[in-house]
Amino acid sequence: MAPTGAEPDQFELAVASLRAVHTRPEIMLEEVPAPQRLAPRSFALSGTVLRGDEEVATGRLIVLHDPSGQEAWDGHWRVVSYVTAELESEMGTDPMLAAVGWSWLLDALDLAGAKYAAIGGTVTQVSSTRFGDLAGPPTSSDVEVRASWTPMLDASVDLAPHLDAWCVLLASTAGLPPPGVTVLAAHHSA
């Protein structure tokens, strides 16, 4: 038990800010075991985007904290993100997909007001062709966005904007329209 007047634990405040985030209904978040060897303290969430009953994107967000700091992080905190989604085949072969996937992340961080430094990552396009008895469409394409950044936090240690941005990245990767936008189905007349 902390003595009266003690400073609240920074890591616990950060985790509480993540647990307080409410996502759009298509995104399901779940706490999962975090890697233990990357930092003295860590917390992880998995995310799944559902369209109806179909899983269209998945990901993991990990928060690392080292009170002593790490030179490679340029700070005491690090957010590690992984998102993957299956795409329509023609989109999966678009040569601009990697640049667009990276812009989804940067735009989401900026839109959420998530301040960051030391950002880096990769966007990978994967095309798979099935043969023989493997079930599923003959060709599929996937995009993976992997990134990490140092959140620039004030005394409140509020990581909610970073999780909000990550959820926007998940939604963008899954091809969901922005909240409040309704996609109209094409109507063909006979």
Side-chain angles (χ1 to χ4, degrees):
M1 184 189 252
T4 307
E7 287 290 315
D9 180 271
Q10 297 261 307
F11 184 77
E12 291 304 320
L13 286 173
V15 168
S17 73
L18 294 171
R19 288 179 174 146
V21 169
H22 296 285
T23 65
R24 57 191 290 173
E26 302 94 336
I27 299 176
M28 307 285 292
L29 296 179
E30 178 182 7
E31 289 183 31
V32 294
Q36 298 300 305
R37 289 181 266 161
L38 300 176
R41 301 186 80 182
S42 57
F43 178 79
L45 292 168
S46 71
T48 303
V49 179
L50 299 172
R51 190 177 298 128
D53 290 336
E54 184 184 0
E55 185 178 288
V56 293
T58 60
R60 181 171 278 203
L61 184 80
I62 302 167
V63 174
L64 304 172
H65 179 57
D66 186 340
S68 302
Q70 291 198 17
E71 190 175 326
W73 298 354
D74 194 22
H76 302 275
W77 298 88
R78 194 73 177 164
V79 175
V80 180
S81 164
Y82 169 76
V83 171
T84 185
E86 189 171 330
L87 303 171
E88 296 175 13
S89 358
E90 60 275 358
M91 189 175 180
T93 58
D94 186 334
M96 294 299 297
L97 179 61
V100 169
W102 190 250
S103 74
W104 288 336
L105 172 62
L106 297 180
D107 292 348
L109 287 165
D110 292 342
L111 183 68
K115 306 251 185 283
Y116 60 89
I119 192 167
T122 61
V123 178
T124 306
Q125 296 167 249
V126 179
S127 180
S128 302
T129 304
R130 293 184 168 107
F131 296 96
D133 291 340
L134 287 178
T139 302
S140 65
S141 296
D142 295 78
V143 63
E144 297 175 352
V145 180
R146 296 175 185 261
S148 64
W149 61 90
T150 299
M152 306 304 290
L153 302 171
D154 59 20
S156 70
V157 207
D158 184 7
L159 284 171
H162 297 270
L163 179 54
D164 287 339
W166 185 73
C167 288
V168 170
L169 174 64
L170 261 175
S172 297
T173 307
L176 295 181
V181 173
T182 302
V183 176
L184 301 174
H187 178 70
H188 300 286
S189 55

